[in-house]
Amino acid sequence: QVHLVESGGGLVKPGGSLRLSCAASGFMFHDYYMSWIRQAPGKGLEWISYISGGGGSTYYVDSVRGRFTISRDNAKKSLDLQMDSLRVDDTAVYYCAREGELGWFDLWGPGTLVTVSS
Amino acid sequence: EIVLTQSPATLSLSPGDRATLSCRASQSLSRYLAWYQQKPGQAPRLLIYDASNRATGIPDRFSGSGSGTDFTLTISSLEPEDFAVYYCQQRSNWPPLTFGGGTKVEI
């Protein structure tokens, strides 16, 4: 069964760190670009980072560049997001998503909630 | 960065009604636009890609149209399960990929 499942969310203080993971199953993980997309409570969707299938190409939106690091382990079929220097406005549900063969997000995990609060 | 503006913010309709949702882009996207549906507590689901192509398993009451800067998602006859929030997303000029602010279709 084709699946993505995120883990690692939780409550962290401003300035703290958290590492999210996304476990993939049921498809050739290394063939796909993967992204992290977040959604603040009651707000819309914000794409924040992607990584190419081989891991050699990455991108970050301005709001997280220099603080977040995306990585993947194709052998373990795992996608990670290391989040440092967290801010209150990083509070959101974080989704991992697969960019399908047609270039759109055709597979999403259920999300993991990150709350940054003192 | 391409800005996507969705309207209306909220659409109040009844089951069986026709729903028409709009997404306007700040610059031409050609047809590189998708629509997603999100229900409370769930991840988004891809409905329409490349402006007018239904994703796998999407009922034919959902249709997309448009090109350039103006796009429309139409639900021909609302079913109870269609009441949700709908987002458009572009990949014409990226990074960054961007989403619209969403339209809530409510009963």
Side-chain angles (χ1 to χ4, degrees):
Chain A
Q1 192 175 3
V2 180
H3 230 64
L4 294 171
V5 180
E6 303 91 343
S7 60
L11 175 63
V12 61
K13 288 181 167 50
S17 297
L18 212 55
R19 189 176 186 90
L20 305 183
S21 291
C22 172
S25 59
F27 64 97
M28 301 294 278
F29 182 67
H30 60 270
D31 281 345
Y32 294 89
Y33 275 55
M34 297 295 296
S35 285
W36 287 98
I37 296 163
R38 69 183 179 184
Q39 186 170 37
K43 303 297 185 183
L45 300 165
E46 180 188 22
W47 176 76
I48 59 171
S49 182
Y50 86 76
I51 188 167
S52 59
S57 177
T58 60
Y59 180 84
Y60 306 90
V61 294
D62 289 348
S63 58
V64 307
R65 187 175 295 123
R67 301 187 300 122
F68 290 10
T69 304
I70 191 171
S71 61
R72 65 191 296 162
D73 184 331
N74 286 339
K76 295 182 179 178
K77 299 184 115 176
S78 177
L79 173 74
D80 287 346
L81 186 69
Q82 176 65 40
M83 304 187 295
D84 299 318
S85 303
L86 282 161
R87 309 189 300 221
V88 171
D89 62 359
D90 292 319
T91 294
V93 174
Y94 285 73
Y95 297 101
C96 64
R98 182 183 79 174
E99 184 181 315
E101 294 168 2
L102 299 171
W104 304 100
F105 298 120
D106 65 351
L107 182 65
W108 299 63
T112 188
L113 176 62
V114 172
T115 303
V116 185
S117 174
S118 55
Chain B
E1 174 178 323
I2 294 178
V3 176
L4 300 178
T5 302
Q6 291 188 241
S7 62
T10 303
L11 203 49
S12 298
L13 296 168
S14 300
D17 285 349
R18 182 183 186 89
T20 303
L21 288 66
S22 173
C23 178
R24 178 162 289 177
S26 59
Q27 56 186 273
S28 179
L29 306 180
S30 182
R31 294 178 60 82
Y32 293 114
L33 185 105
W35 292 92
Y36 298 83
Q37 177 194 65
Q38 187 179 34
K39 297 180 181 178
Q42 296 184 17
R45 176 176 70 144
L46 179 65
L47 294 177
I48 301 287
Y49 65 92
D50 293 348
S52 62
N53 296 295
R54 273 188 299 276
T56 302
I58 302 303
D60 61 6
R61 63 180 181 273
F62 290 92
S63 63
S65 63
S67 64
T69 60
D70 290 299
F71 299 85
T72 300
L73 173 69
T74 301
I75 310 171
S76 60
S77 179
L78 283 163
E79 297 288 339
E81 62 267 28
D82 298 338
F83 291 91
V85 180
Y86 294 83
Y87 294 95
C88 56
Q89 179 231 322
Q90 68 82 23
R91 68 175 190 93
S92 171
N93 185 1
W94 70 285
L97 296 170
T98 51
F99 291 88
T103 291
K104 182 179 181 180
V105 178
E106 65 175 21
I107 299 178

